[in-house]
Amino acid sequence: MNLHGGAQLGPGWIDASGLRLNGVGSCAEIPVVPVDTSSSFTVTAWARASEPSDRPMAVSNAAGRKRSAFALRFLSTPDDSEGFGRWEPTLPEADRTGAVTRQVSSREFFDVRDWNHLTVVYDSAAEQARLHITGILQEFRCPDDDGDGEPDDSTCRDEVARADAARMFRADGPRRWDVRCRTPRASTSPGRSTTSGSSGVR
């Protein structure tokens, strides 16, 4: 793993080993993404932020030539100082500007300042992506007591941490932590990525 801009290895959640990013230009990367992101794969990590921020906090990505095959980040609730918001991976279907992009969001956690276990699961056969946080797949469905297929409350919105019709391309660049090396301060304990019988600690 190559460290840049003040990134440091230090205490974390897994085997007391983690990666600390300072929010002013630090990042880390490995030369090659160890999975084929166009096939089925799972990526996991423990992550937390030292404080909430009004900017997106990027945790990890898999670089292509123009786009990242996936990018996992935290987006704070506007004007909130209590660590609320949502975790969200973005999944473009092609390595080009303007490609159709799916997002999977989840609010099923307590505080971004606590350690959160993040798992992105992509099933290429089903063309489906899911986001689990500390083992939970958020799946809130609005009440529909009359069974007409519409929420009883017209302002209610389903919140399901799953994206369908998700197609992904194969990343051919490095795997990075802190996508743009300019995100707010965060800590992460790199987890494990698996695909089709192979795995690698990241």
Side-chain angles (χ1 to χ4, degrees), residues 115-196:
W115 284 105
N116 290 278
H117 186 254
L118 312 173
T119 305
V120 179
V121 180
Y122 177 63
D123 183 336
S124 61
E127 296 185 344
Q128 183 182 91
R130 303 187 304 276
L131 171 63
H132 301 256
I133 301 181
T134 317
I136 298 173
L137 176 69
Q138 177 176 306
E139 190 160 5
F140 170 75
R141 300 287 186 181
C142 297
D144 178 19
D145 293 338
D146 57 12
D148 66 352
E150 299 293 334
D152 297 333
D153 180 354
S154 61
T155 64
C156 183
R157 296 292 181 268
D158 293 344
E159 293 190 15
V160 181
R162 183 181 69 238
D164 296 316
R167 303 174 182 87
M168 296 184 62
F169 66 90
R170 181 168 185 164
D172 59 3
R175 163 78 191 277
R176 294 192 179 105
W177 288 267
D178 205 337
V179 176
R180 297 182 180 178
C181 301
R182 294 196 301 268
T183 56
R185 183 170 54 205
S187 298
T188 178
S189 282
R192 181 173 288 272
S193 63
T194 61
T195 180
S196 304

Side-chain angles (χ1 to χ4, degrees), residues 67-73 88-94 98-105 120 122 127-130 162-168:
R67 301 286 301 273
S68 296
F70 72 84
L72 177 59
R73 60 184 184 168
E88 182 181 274
T90 57
L91 313 163
E93 69 175 24
V100 173
T101 301
R102 310 291 182 190
Q103 286 88 25
V104 186
S105 295
V120 179
Y122 177 63
E127 296 185 344
Q128 183 182 91
R130 303 187 304 276
R162 183 181 69 238
D164 296 316
R167 303 174 182 87
M168 296 184 62

Side-chain angles (χ1 to χ4, degrees), residues 32 49 66 147:
V32 179
K66 294 185 177 180

Side-chain angles (χ1 to χ4, degrees), residues 1-4 9 19 27-35 60-63 70 172-177 190-191 193 200-202:
M1 178 183 289
N2 299 315
L3 306 179
H4 306 284
L9 298 178
L19 171 66
C27 64
E29 66 180 19
I30 55 177
V32 179
V33 177
V35 298
S60 179
N61 82 338
F70 72 84
D172 59 3
R175 163 78 191 277
R176 294 192 179 105
W177 288 267
S193 63
V201 177
R202 318 212 298 182

